[in-house]
Amino acid sequence: MSEPAITPELISNHGLSADEYQRILEIVGRTPTFTELGIFSAMWNEHCSYKSSKKWLRTLPTTGPQVICGPGENAGVVDIGDGQAVVFKMESHNHPSYIEPYQGAATGVGGILRDVFTMGARPIAAMNSLSFGAPSHPKTRQLVNGVVEGIGGYGNCFGVPTVGGEVRFDPAYNGNCLVNAFAAGLADSDKIFYSAASGVGMPVVYLGAKTGRDGVGGATMASAEFDDTIEEKRPTVQVGDPFTEKRLMEATLELMATGAVISIQDMGAAGLTCSAVEMGDKGNLGVRLDLEKVPTREPNMTAYEMMLSESQERMLMVLRPELEAQAKAVFDKWDLDFAIVGETIAEDRFLIVLNGEVKADLPLKTLAGTAPEYDRPWVETPTPAPLADVPGVDPIDGLRALLASPNYASKQWVYEQYDTMVMGDSARIPGIGAGIVRVHGTDKALAFTSDVTPRYVKANPEMGGKQAVAEAYRNLCAVGARPLATTDNMNFGNPEKPQIMGQFVGAIQGIGAAVKALDMPIVSGNVSLYNETDGAAILPTPTIGAVGLLDHTDDIIGCEVRDGHVALLLGESLGHLGQSALLLEVFNRAEGDAPPVDLTAEARHGAFIRDNRAHIKACTDLSDGGLALAAFELAEATGVGVQLDAGDTPSLFGEDQARYLIACNFDQAEALMIAAGQAGLTLTAIGKFGGDTVKFGPSEAPLAELAATYRNSFAEHFA
């Protein structure tokens, strides 16, 4: 089959600019072959090369005594003591999920699980952060159902519990939903596997499922805006098989135990191309691939298709040759493909051969290391105008409006479709606060949360970036966990627009300041740009996934309140209503500035909660919906009413940061008041739990009636 001629249109269709193609000509010294053009397109697209974001990502704090491996590998690795480590990462599958919701979301879960077990860790927890368009938009219901089914279908079959996440709705996501998938696993800290190849003449081994034509060009598609040709992109979405992935994990972990693995890499974005180049580049070696040896499930696949396929459930490995037979036996046992498809070479070459014919011959180091790096022009987001007066609302009417919104109603319709208890170690499942998983065979536990408030980030990117980290920190502290580290998923529009790039820069600056102040370094992450349709960008959505450690499961702060518990509020309430949930849901106004974040106060208040956990029966942080929503959720979780003294709108619905709502016995409240006074912190008695009504100031309603709205609103929209 003759290869197509390299034309300006073909170059453009590969996501390459004229300047970038000129650089390719200079590197290669001739016109590239069609396969070489595809390889450059894959390695240089935004999704794989981070060419618009690298400059700013380098500014993030990524180290600390707890960090074993920071960004640059398949996932981050953090020490949890006793010779154990937690391995975790968050990654986007936004574009594929909009085009083909079920498979897009399912393969997002599959990809992030592979990132974790490729490092030698057995996955123990999953989360997801989902952003959809307006509930009334004609496509939203289909997307919600497809994405939730895809996440559940893959994760449940694979057998990993989904312990946390978030779901939001805004018209800005009408043409571009976001599906951010998180996974975490456990490994022995001295048995982490990395991707750098070593040794010349070592066999390069293909593992897992066969290669097909699904996902060809997927990474390039993920680095482009959408327009009215979106349906034509359906073939670029991969198809997942969770049962094959489960076998692949068991085979991989068994293989690692044999000592046969020199280096290993998941085949994710850009498939065989990206995995082979990364392994060679990190090991300062060249790689030769003989593509006729690649197991394929479709006849007559071209070199271009094999190199760019994103078929799922595949790995690439460099193997100790003396253990080849032992390694092959493991994969035969699990009925998975095991094929030696090439070798490491001393020369700096990426040599692709198919049936004796050279299809690509490129300098590997240059291919990996000379992707364009742009210092995109950016403009600072203007300071929002001061918030005009917000009329007071009846507190119960305001609460009802929040509970009826899919943004703040219970998400049980979503998480009940996920297996939250598989493996038997889940100690806290989705519903309120961070998820918790026991570290099997020990007294320890890990807590997981995912947070961001995109409307804050749009109004004030730096403060919104800080707030996303601060809220993740609070969610971990509220269950008694010591925050360890974070992963980020930076979802933004077109970085070639200075105002969008300004959002990105501001958010990075805010995140960097917060993770440094709160000692939660970024150890892994993902950037997803060009989330636009017909020129309209999503809300800037820098999702923060965070992990915390509990030294003993007895240290978990519960979430069960009972009759007679005192309600205490830690932190100052100034009644900040700018960009608040109440303002948007009741008045349809997204106005004012994001709430200011005091990182010193966040650190002090989080430490106070952890240090005084023995006196706390239940705890939640205050975020969207302020005190009103936090008090209702804590009360509703155990079916006990709540009465708060405050009845005014700013006190109940303001979204000031660094605040926690505590429930405890009267004598414990006294002890906490004394401790707070000694620490110079503001801790106020604001009401009590008990009865069967929700009463804010003079306004009240039956808890059962409000709970029915809260529990049923989401399903009424989407079931």
Side-chain angles (χ1 to χ4, degrees), residues 91-173:
E91 206 162 61
S92 62
H93 234 220
N94 303 336
H95 285 47
S97 298
Y98 187 78
I99 297 166
E100 177 46 71
Y102 184 96
Q103 290 296 352
T107 52
V109 174
I112 201 68
L113 289 168
R114 278 196 308 283
D115 280 337
V116 166
F117 70 74
T118 302
M119 302 288 292
R122 181 173 290 274
I124 59 160
M127 293 192 295
N128 50 77
S129 176
L130 312 176
S131 305
F132 298 103
S136 58
H137 188 270
K139 200 167 166 80
T140 300
R141 190 164 175 269
Q142 174 217 345
L143 287 170
V144 171
N145 278 271
V147 165
V148 170
E149 282 178 28
I151 290 169
Y154 205 102
N156 297 354
C157 292
F158 180 87
V160 64
T162 298
V163 298
E166 50 186 348
V167 188
R168 70 181 57 83
F169 299 88
D170 189 277
Y173 305 103

Side-chain angles (χ1 to χ4, degrees), residues 480-503:
R482 175 168 54 88
L484 283 181
T486 48
T487 180
D488 60 5
N489 207 144
M490 307 293 291
N491 307 273
F492 289 80
N494 184 343
E496 295 166 45
K497 297 177 178 175
Q499 67 273 27
I500 300 287
M501 197 63 209
Q503 292 175 347

Side-chain angles (χ1 to χ4, degrees), residues 257-336:
T258 68
V261 178
I262 294 175
S263 66
I264 189 162
Q265 177 80 24
D266 158 42
M267 280 196 231
L272 197 49
T273 290
C274 206
S275 54
V277 170
E278 283 189 19
M279 288 170 81
D281 177 46
K282 288 175 184 170
N284 290 310
L285 292 165
V287 174
R288 173 193 169 112
L289 296 178
D290 295 299
L291 296 187
E292 68 277 4
K293 297 174 182 172
V294 170
T296 57
R297 63 168 184 259
E298 300 179 50
N300 304 319
M301 286 188 69
T302 64
Y304 178 95
E305 290 168 335
M306 282 190 262
M307 292 307 295
L308 299 189
S309 166
E310 293 184 10
S311 293
Q312 295 292 287
E313 293 87 42
R314 301 180 304 156
M315 320 270 264
L316 201 64
M317 178 181 77
V318 177
L319 178 73
R320 297 193 191 284
E322 67 275 16
L323 294 174
E324 180 191 324
Q326 199 174 340
K328 186 175 188 309
V330 171
F331 274 74
D332 287 347
K333 179 181 108 175
W334 289 99
D335 194 25
L336 291 163

Side-chain angles (χ1 to χ4, degrees), residues 635-685:
E636 195 275 341
T638 39
V640 174
V642 61
Q643 292 84 50
L644 298 181
D645 303 330
D648 62 294
T649 298
S651 296
L652 286 167
F653 295 99
E655 295 182 4
D656 305 286
Q657 300 295 297
R659 296 187 300 161
Y660 296 82
L661 177 63
I662 296 166
C664 60
N665 297 324
F666 186 78
D667 57 333
Q668 293 171 320
E670 282 191 316
L672 287 168
M673 289 285 203
I674 292 166
Q678 290 170 342
L681 303 181
T682 303
L683 184 67
T684 316

